[in-house]
Structures are given as structure tokens and as C-alpha cells.
Amino acid sequence: MVELLLIDGPLHRAELARRIRTSRTTITNITNELLERNVVLNLKPEQKATRGGHELVAINPLAGFSLGIDFTLEQVAISASDLSGNTVSETIFAVDAQSTAESRVVAAASALETLLDEAGIDGTKIVGVGVGVPGQIDRRTDMVGVSLPGQPWSKLDVRSILAHHLPYQIFVENNSRLEGFAEKRWGAGQHSANVLYLSFSSGVGMALFAEDQLFRGSIGAAGEIGHMSTDINGATCPCGNRGCLVLRTGTAHVLSLLSPVLGENADWAHVLEETTRSNPSCLAVLDEVGAVAGRFLAGIANLLDPELMIIGGELAQAGEPFMAPLIAAVKTHTLPLTSSHVAVVQAALPPGAATGARGGAALAIMEMAKTSTIDTLGYL
């Protein structure tokens, strides 16, 4: 019952009985016990729109808290949320791109302690922490696979490193998938069951939701769309493959094409600024890159048949100059039946570590609900 309320939100007792396949009397007895433990609340009709004016049973948001931490190459973001998924406190800070995984975790643990103190959150009420790192993650061992040389997390057991500094239940995930999870929970994907979230930034990542469930693959390594080849005779990628999608649609590629116009020191903020000014070079490059991305995603759409494709990341921030050619290419190159129903939209949430951390906190609640920790709510 608690798992249902955590995942689906407030429900009528009759609906709980139907979903759990038990009697209303049993649900009432369980509800009374959970009310005594302050795990659930009764929502009066004036607090929540209800059918027929009957009250709903809902999780008590303050029965516990979850944490999310997202590690990118140059930032660490931390988010704390209550059990309803409302963000209670958050912080973000920069790290040296050359710093080790251990030093990043130490810095995160210190910042987390400060955040909890300032927010007045009792550490004993933390139900879990969802942690995002770049790269493929072997869920059997929590080892991060090597996709690019020099990544601080490569070949490391992430959970073991984190466990030395964080006294909480830890759930490790690829950080692009955490961004996708946040977008599914609060953004453009919250009303769709079969969703593809694509992030086009320095890397190209993907999160796939099938019937509302995050798909990770057989060992957790799914989603590395950025290292699928668009041209086997193309440029060599640091991953060892040739013609990878990221080489033709990542921010580094866009910046390299625009460097003769914007200068060698131009950053992504400069590109966005010039795009808003309708700089012809920026518009032409984004049009070309958007079309490449769209043609590739058409094949993915034909393969997976999503109802919704959400385009996020730094390239999506360019808006119409990138999105329009991408959407046009998806519609043109998908098969007629797929093209007739798939929607392609821009992400509603900003890209980056802050959104990933929010996704991590939400994921921790979902994952915690599958463990024995759910039985301790109200006793913490």
C-alpha cells in the first residue's frame, strides 16, 4: 500500500483495495496503523479534488526524506526532497575537472552535511540517496564501464566509494538517465507511459521508459546512444568506435564548426546568445546538426515506437533553430505508422546536474519502495 501511494500519489481506499486485491476492511485497518505511525494522511475533500467528496489516503510528505547527488565533469549538485517529491533544499558547486572520484565524494559529503543542517533534516529520516555518474554502470557490481578515457569514475565501484562517506542506502544510476527521470516525473513526460528522453550536450545520453518503467537493459548498461555509429568510415571517437553520434551532434562539434566565426574561446553561452541574435552561421550549423540528430532518431523511433520523444541537453536550449530541423527529420524518416503518432518536444526542465540531482532524489524514493526500508517508515 505504501509503495502504491509513493509511486501513484493519493488514492481512495476503494482504489487501494482494488489495486492490492484485498477488502476495504483490510485497507481501513492498514490505514489506521499507518495513520498512527504518521506515515500517511487523510486528505479532506477541500484539500484535494476528489470524486464524490470522499477523502483520499496520501503519504505524509514529512515521514521521510530522500537525497539526490549528480556528478558531472565540472559540477556536483545535491537535492533533498520529501516523500511527495517536493524539493526541500538543494545546492550546486563546481569541482576541478581533473579531480578524482574520491575527492568529489568527500566534497559532496561535506556539502550534504551542511545542506541537511541548514534545512533542519534529521539524517535518521533519510530513506536513500540516488547518485548519478557518467558512463555505463554494471548493476551486478556497481562498476562504471570505460566509454571515454580520463573519466574519473571509470573502472571504479561507485557504491563502495560512496558508502565510505555517506551513511545512507545508495542507488547508483547514469546521470543522463537521472535527468530523464526528472523530466518524466515533473517535466514534459509526466503524462506519457512510453517515453524516450535524449540529451544532447557534451555527451549524448538517453533514458527509455517503457510502460512508465525505466529500462536499464540486462546489466544496466543501456542508453549509450551517443556512441552508436552514424558513419563507420567517420572520425575516430575516443571510445574506439568511428563516426559516433556524439561526434556529429555534441556541443564540442558545434563549437568547432563555429570557431572560425565566434572565435576559439567561444563557449556554449556565446553560441546561445548569437543564436538569439539570428547569427546566420549559428542558425546554419544548428540546422545541420538538428537534421543529423533527427535522421538518426527516426531509426530509434522505428525500433522502439515511443509515444513521446523529449529532446533535452544544451543543444535543445537553442530552441527552434535546433528543434525544428530535428523534428522535421524525425517525421520525414520514420515509417508512416510511427510518424503518425510519435510526438517530439523540447524538455521542460533545464539540462545539467541540478535536474539530475532532483531525478536522483525521486529515483531514491522509487527504489526505496522496493526494499525493506519501506517497512521502517514511521519508526525512524
Side-chain angles (χ1 to χ4, degrees), residues 291 294-299 302 327-336 339:
R295 287 195 297 272
F296 189 86
L297 294 183
N302 285 334
I327 293 171
V330 169
K331 290 294 186 178
T332 298
H333 297 286
T334 48
L335 293 170
S339 180

Side-chain angles (χ1 to χ4, degrees), residues 158 164 272 374 376:
V158 178
H164 282 121
L272 293 179
I374 197 171
T376 67

Side-chain angles (χ1 to χ4, degrees), residues 208-280:
L208 168 63
F209 298 89
E211 298 301 322
D212 287 320
Q213 299 300 310
L214 179 62
F215 179 78
R216 297 182 173 94
S218 60
I219 63 170
E224 290 295 325
I225 190 173
H227 294 288
M228 293 176 66
S229 179
T230 63
D231 179 6
I232 199 61
N233 296 313
T236 301
C237 180
C239 77
N241 199 2
R242 299 183 70 91
C244 287
L245 181 64
V246 68
L247 297 182
R248 301 184 67 189
T249 60
T251 52
H253 177 63
V254 175
L255 288 169
S256 69
L257 293 177
L258 290 173
S259 62
V261 177
L262 303 183
E264 295 290 337
N265 296 322
D267 59 14
W268 193 248
H270 192 185
V271 173
L272 293 179
E273 181 181 351
E274 288 298 310
T275 300
T276 61
R277 294 176 178 174
S278 298
N279 182 305

Side-chain angles (χ1 to χ4, degrees), residues 1-12 16 19 43 48 56-59 84 185:
M1 175 171 159
V2 174
E3 182 178 356
L4 268 178
L5 295 174
L6 283 168
I7 295 173
D8 290 353
L11 294 169
H12 292 286
L16 284 166
R19 299 276 291 277
L43 295 185
K48 186 85 175 182
L56 297 171
V57 180
I59 284 291
S84 291
R185 178 71 170 79

Side-chain angles (χ1 to χ4, degrees), residues 16 39 115 127 179 255 264 282 296 313 316 366:
L16 284 166
V39 175
L115 181 145
V127 299
E179 284 188 40
L255 288 169
E264 295 290 337
C282 291
F296 189 86
M366 305 289 273

Side-chain angles (χ1 to χ4, degrees), residues 30-50:
I30 294 173
T31 300
N32 289 339
E33 177 189 339
L34 293 175
L35 284 167
E36 290 178 5
R37 287 165 47 188
N38 290 317
V39 175
V40 301
L41 303 170
N42 283 324
L43 295 185
K44 302 299 182 183
E46 62 268 22
Q47 293 175 276
K48 186 85 175 182
T50 65

Side-chain angles (χ1 to χ4, degrees), residues 46-355:
E46 62 268 22
Q47 293 175 276
K48 186 85 175 182
T50 65
R51 295 186 299 272
H54 297 298
E55 63 185 13
L56 297 171
V57 180
I59 284 291
N60 178 359
L62 302 183
F65 297 89
S66 69
L67 304 173
I69 305 176
D70 194 25
F71 294 95
T72 65
L73 185 61
E74 297 180 333
Q75 287 185 320
V76 178
I78 303 173
S79 182
S81 79
D82 62 28
L83 291 188
S84 291
N86 302 309
T87 299
V88 176
S89 185
E90 55 189 353
T91 187
I92 188 168
F93 58 93
V95 293
D96 187 332
Q98 304 303 316
S99 59
T100 65
E102 182 80 23
S103 66
R104 292 164 190 258
V105 173
V106 170
S110 176
L112 177 57
E113 184 177 357
T114 300
L115 181 145
L116 294 179
D117 285 343
E118 292 179 349
I121 297 175
D122 184 348
T124 62
K125 299 190 77 173
I126 302 297
V127 299
V129 51
V131 180
V133 298
Q136 292 180 299
I137 300 167
D138 188 335
R139 288 173 66 82
R140 301 168 300 182
T141 63
D142 293 312
M143 196 77 71
V144 179
V146 180
S147 57
L148 296 175
Q151 288 279 8
W153 301 98
S154 293
K155 297 184 178 180
L156 295 179
D157 178 346
V158 178
R159 191 188 302 273
S160 293
I161 295 174
L162 292 164
H164 282 121
H165 302 279
L166 301 175
Y168 310 117
Q169 188 168 215
I170 297 166
F171 307 100
V172 182
E173 187 54 86
N174 171 272
N175 52 11
S176 288
R177 285 207 287 258
L178 287 189
E179 284 188 40
F181 197 86
E183 191 68 36
K184 179 73 171 66
R185 178 71 170 79
W186 295 288
Q190 57 187 303
H191 301 301
S192 300
N194 298 287
V195 177
L196 270 178
Y197 171 79
L198 294 309
S199 173
F200 291 89
S201 292
S202 58
V204 179
M206 183 181 85
L208 168 63
F209 298 89
E211 298 301 322
D212 287 320
Q213 299 300 310
L214 179 62
F215 179 78
R216 297 182 173 94
S218 60
I219 63 170
E224 290 295 325
I225 190 173
H227 294 288
M228 293 176 66
S229 179
T230 63
D231 179 6
I232 199 61
N233 296 313
T236 301
C237 180
C239 77
N241 199 2
R242 299 183 70 91
C244 287
L245 181 64
V246 68
L247 297 182
R248 301 184 67 189
T249 60
T251 52
H253 177 63
V254 175
L255 288 169
S256 69
L257 293 177
L258 290 173
S259 62
V261 177
L262 303 183
E264 295 290 337
N265 296 322
D267 59 14
W268 193 248
H270 192 185
V271 173
L272 293 179
E273 181 181 351
E274 288 298 310
T275 300
T276 61
R277 294 176 178 174
S278 298
N279 182 305
S281 297
C282 291
L283 297 179
V285 167
L286 288 170
D287 184 85
E288 175 191 339
V289 172
V292 169
R295 287 195 297 272
F296 189 86
L297 294 183
I300 301 299
N302 285 334
L303 176 67
L304 298 176
D305 185 31
E307 63 187 278
L308 179 66
M309 300 178 79
I310 303 172
I311 312 301
E314 292 175 307
L315 268 78
Q317 289 181 303
E320 193 75 5
F322 175 70
M323 291 296 300
L326 185 151
I327 293 171
V330 169
K331 290 294 186 178
T332 298
H333 297 286
T334 48
L335 293 170
L337 184 58
T338 302
S339 180
S340 69
H341 79 90
V342 65
V344 185
V345 301
Q346 184 175 338
L349 303 179
T355 294

